[in-house]
Amino acid sequence: MRYLVRDRMFAFHEEAWIETEHREKLYRVNRKFLRLRRTFALVDTRGEHVASIVRKAFTIHHTLLIKQDGELTAKISKKMFTLFGDRFKVRLRDGRRLTIAGNLWDREFDIRHDGTTLAHISRRWFTIRDAYAVDVLSQQDALILLILAVCVDHTLQDAKGDQVTNL
């Protein structure tokens, strides 16, 4: 199933919406800025807190922690040095290890487990800067795959210094 992540430009605080391909809103990503940490809250359409994404401060690798119901669900880290493309490592609570590999310039990434593609993240077909598609091939892991897509996008924007200024 295809999902779209759309950033709201010119909001009083940064937020993004995760929608189905039919424009049905599912989740809102609120970005809260703290002094030493940067926190994102994933909230459903009823306002229920679904997950938190916390950027660890003072780490060598860009590391984000994903928490659901107060428990660590996943840890995602960007590899510092790669010859070709960008690579991320993901460790899930159930012990699975995922890789996210792709190319910043092509704006194409795949989330994989043991050589099987679970999701594909793409900005290629969007001419506007504030939207990208996430094609989820594993519906049982859809929520965590969407959260990982948001993490990858956030990490790459941070790396480029591409911060949106709020009005």
Side-chain angles (χ1 to χ4, degrees):
M1 177 167 195
R2 175 170 281 180
Y3 298 90
L4 302 174
V5 181
R6 296 181 185 277
D7 288 328
R8 265 194 64 197
M9 306 289 278
F10 311 118
F12 288 108
H13 53 85
E14 288 186 63
E15 72 178 29
W17 278 96
I18 299 174
E19 306 171 345
T20 66
E21 61 188 329
H22 305 293
R23 308 264 334 229
E24 175 188 350
K25 291 183 178 182
L26 298 175
Y27 303 105
R28 185 180 73 230
V29 181
N30 281 341
R31 296 179 181 121
K32 302 174 184 177
F33 295 99
L34 303 174
R35 265 189 222 151
L36 298 176
R37 293 179 162 200
R38 192 172 281 175
T39 304
F40 297 68
L42 189 74
V43 180
D44 66 14
T45 55
R46 295 172 296 169
E48 300 287 327
H49 183 83
V50 176
S52 296
I53 303 167
V54 180
R55 179 179 174 191
K56 286 181 69 173
F58 308 116
T59 59
I60 295 172
H61 300 288
H62 191 102
T63 302
L64 297 169
L65 304 175
I66 300 168
K67 296 181 179 183
Q68 292 178 293
D69 298 325
E71 293 186 30
L72 185 65
T73 303
K75 178 180 175 182
I76 178 171
S77 300
K78 184 178 187 307
K79 286 191 170 185
M80 293 297 288
F81 303 106
T82 57
L83 292 176
F84 302 104
D86 293 297
R87 294 183 58 84
F88 299 83
K89 299 183 301 184
V90 180
R91 186 180 317 165
L92 299 178
R93 176 178 31 189
D94 64 9
R96 288 185 293 166
R97 293 178 187 262
L98 309 179
T99 58
I100 303 173
N103 189 314
L104 172 65
W105 301 110
D106 288 340
R107 299 177 175 189
E108 301 283 327
F109 290 87
D110 287 326
I111 301 174
R112 295 176 180 249
H113 176 254
D114 289 337
T116 303
T117 301
L118 303 177
H120 180 73
I121 306 163
S122 175
R123 280 189 184 257
R124 177 175 282 185
W125 303 112
F126 293 91
T127 57
I128 54 175
R129 195 178 129 252
D130 61 343
Y132 55 95
V134 182
D135 291 313
V136 174
L137 305 174
S138 171
Q139 285 303 312
Q140 70 184 27
D141 296 320
L143 179 59
I144 193 69
L145 295 171
L146 290 168
I147 294 170
L148 291 173
V150 169
C151 290
V152 168
D153 184 62
H154 165 71
T155 302
L156 294 176
Q157 284 185 6
D158 260 10
K160 288 185 348 183
D162 187 18
Q163 299 297 321
V164 176
T165 305
N166 295 324
L167 297 178

